[in-house]
Amino acid sequence: MTTFARRIHGIANEAVAAAPVMADVAKEIRTALEGPVIVAHNAPVDLGVLQRKLAGWEPAEVFDTLKLAHRLRLERVSYRLGSLVEAFGLAQGLNSGLRPHRATYDALVTARLFVLLATHADGQSLSLDELRDLVPEGDDDPPTTLF
């Protein structure tokens, strides 16, 4: 593990010494990723790792909560996951043993962030086209992408 990764995640090499290597779990990971969509915060980072480790794998569709937050919550000063979690109280009610930069915590707060971003102030959900930022039919402008 690199010094940078250790500083971010607080995980030392000794803590993962007994963990399985990618080759042993690649099939399981591919199966888990077969769903129709991936939701991630700063998705290019996670996707880059997955694509390097799982040769030939491509996600069907990705919603990046970092890109969505930039587009849908213009008032934010910071779009870091931790800042958004704090600003919107997204960690409330989570098990106190869960910590930022760990898979379970980050997955849960990212899912909560996605739901928050996908909901108008009046409680109505945005359509998938709105989340994708697709232009209405008949408009000649090309649709924007999430990343």
Side-chain angles (χ1 to χ4, degrees):
M1 181 148 322
T2 66
T3 302
F4 176 75
R6 192 174 315 120
R7 191 176 69 234
I8 295 288
H9 302 288
I11 301 172
N13 287 336
E14 300 79 30
V16 294
V21 295
M22 181 59 90
D24 294 341
V25 294
K27 184 176 179 184
E28 238 178 285
I29 293 171
R30 284 180 183 275
T31 299
L33 296 173
E34 284 178 357
V37 67
I38 295 200
V39 175
H41 194 77
N42 199 8
V45 172
D46 296 321
L47 294 175
V49 170
L50 290 167
Q51 290 170 323
R52 281 191 305 277
K53 298 294 184 177
L54 302 170
W57 175 80
E58 289 292 329
E61 182 171 23
V62 177
F63 287 103
D64 184 344
T65 56
L66 175 63
K67 300 283 185 183
L68 287 170
H70 273 281
R71 184 164 51 87
L72 300 171
R73 299 293 175 148
L74 301 175
E75 77 284 357
R76 302 297 342 138
V77 173
S78 171
Y79 293 92
R80 288 179 36 251
L81 182 59
S83 297
L84 295 169
V85 167
E86 185 177 323
F88 298 119
L90 301 174
Q92 290 179 342
L94 292 182
N95 180 311
S96 61
L98 297 176
R99 295 183 27 209
H101 299 294
R102 294 295 203 276
T104 302
Y105 175 93
D106 286 358
L108 289 170
V109 297
T110 299
R112 288 177 172 188
L113 177 59
F114 181 71
V115 170
L116 176 92
L117 294 171
T119 307
H120 288 290
D122 64 4
Q124 294 296 311
S125 297
L126 293 166
S127 71
L128 287 176
D129 282 348
E130 289 172 307
L131 288 170
R132 292 178 186 118
D133 196 25
L134 295 177
V135 294
E137 267 190 54
D139 196 326
D140 292 335
D141 293 334
T144 58
T145 59
L146 291 176
F147 72 91

